[in-house]
Amino acid sequence: MSDLTIGSMTDDPTESVRLDPRRFNRHTFWCGQSGSGKTYALGIVLEQLLLHTELPMLILDPNADFVRLAEARSGAPAAHAEHIAQSDIRVFRSGHGEGQKVHARYVDLSPAAKAAVLQIDPITDAEEYNVLLHWDAGAADFDADEMLREFRASGDPARVRLANRMENLQVLEWDLWSRGAGSVVDVIDERPAATILDLGGFDHPAEPKVAALAVLEQLWARRESRRPLLIVIDEAHNICSPEPRTAVERALTEQLVQIAAEGRKFGLWLLLSTQRPTKIHPNVLSQCDNLGLMRVNAPRDIAELADVFGFVGEDDIRRAQGFAQGQALFAGGFIAQPTFVQMGERVTEEAGGDVVVPLRTDPV
């Protein structure tokens, strides 16, 4: 077992800082405002996990920041580059570009999740919900057009209303659905070294959240297998809001709260990355035992972090207000004591670097 070298001490660049990989069997909170170097630094930790552990990772990637995790950077150590190249890293893309697609099966969703997607309330829309509850369709033979025809031909008013709802909302036309074919859930179940789901290219704003819900539901349903998985959620505020507004957001938040509270004993461990702690549901944030903190300026956020992560001194947390880009505080189970770090260099290519301002080559 090797510790994960992530950088050097801020007050002694000659001394390396290492994390204990065994302690990623606890939930981790990763925080830093825009421009702090949060995504680049997170990539360093994920690379180190690939290089020094056999812990499979699922990365929910809303901005396609990690889709090049399998590509070694020019100048990276040869041994590291070779290991990364040989690792089983699967990348699934959303949108209309090339590559394997993020696909899920509508029929695999729980009845409650199906209803959330269709904006069906179990009380207000009791008859339509009941149709969904008793509707049985196999993944292999599912055909959306045939289903709509059968519902309308049945003469059952509830089935007709459900068919109209599906058609009016155009839910069955989403690019997310595999329409009976393979699902990313099947791939994740194989436990590759890393499975990266680029969720940023879907046309409908609900599709990324439904994709995450489909995956998390199936992981929870299969939790008794106790097969370890680190679930990395970048820009986690999009998936784990403290104030979910839609039925899909509520279902997604409830599933994450359950995983945060009970998932550790089943080997389902979270790594949540976001800009502000106040944008994450408190019942998830409070379950995190590891902290990676980069620059955060807002006094409210500093106070929240000090309150939730009581094992870190408030003065240490306040130092985050003055961090330069790439500086971080690490604390919790994966490091012996709270430590201030200058993050190191990436091994792989960063896919989501900032867009630069174009300058004139012939200034006036």
Side-chain angles (χ1 to χ4, degrees), residues 118-130 161 165:
L118 292 170
Q119 304 174 34
I120 292 175
D121 183 272
I123 305 302
T124 306
D125 310 301
E127 292 181 348
E128 290 174 61
Y129 188 90
N130 195 257
R161 287 199 300 273
R165 180 188 292 266

Side-chain angles (χ1 to χ4, degrees), residues 90-112:
R90 320 262 187 109
V91 178
F92 294 85
R93 308 298 299 259
S94 56
H96 307 291
E98 297 181 354
Q100 289 184 287
K101 298 302 181 185
V102 178
H103 280 159
R105 290 183 289 259
Y106 180 76
V107 296
D108 286 347
L109 295 174
S110 69

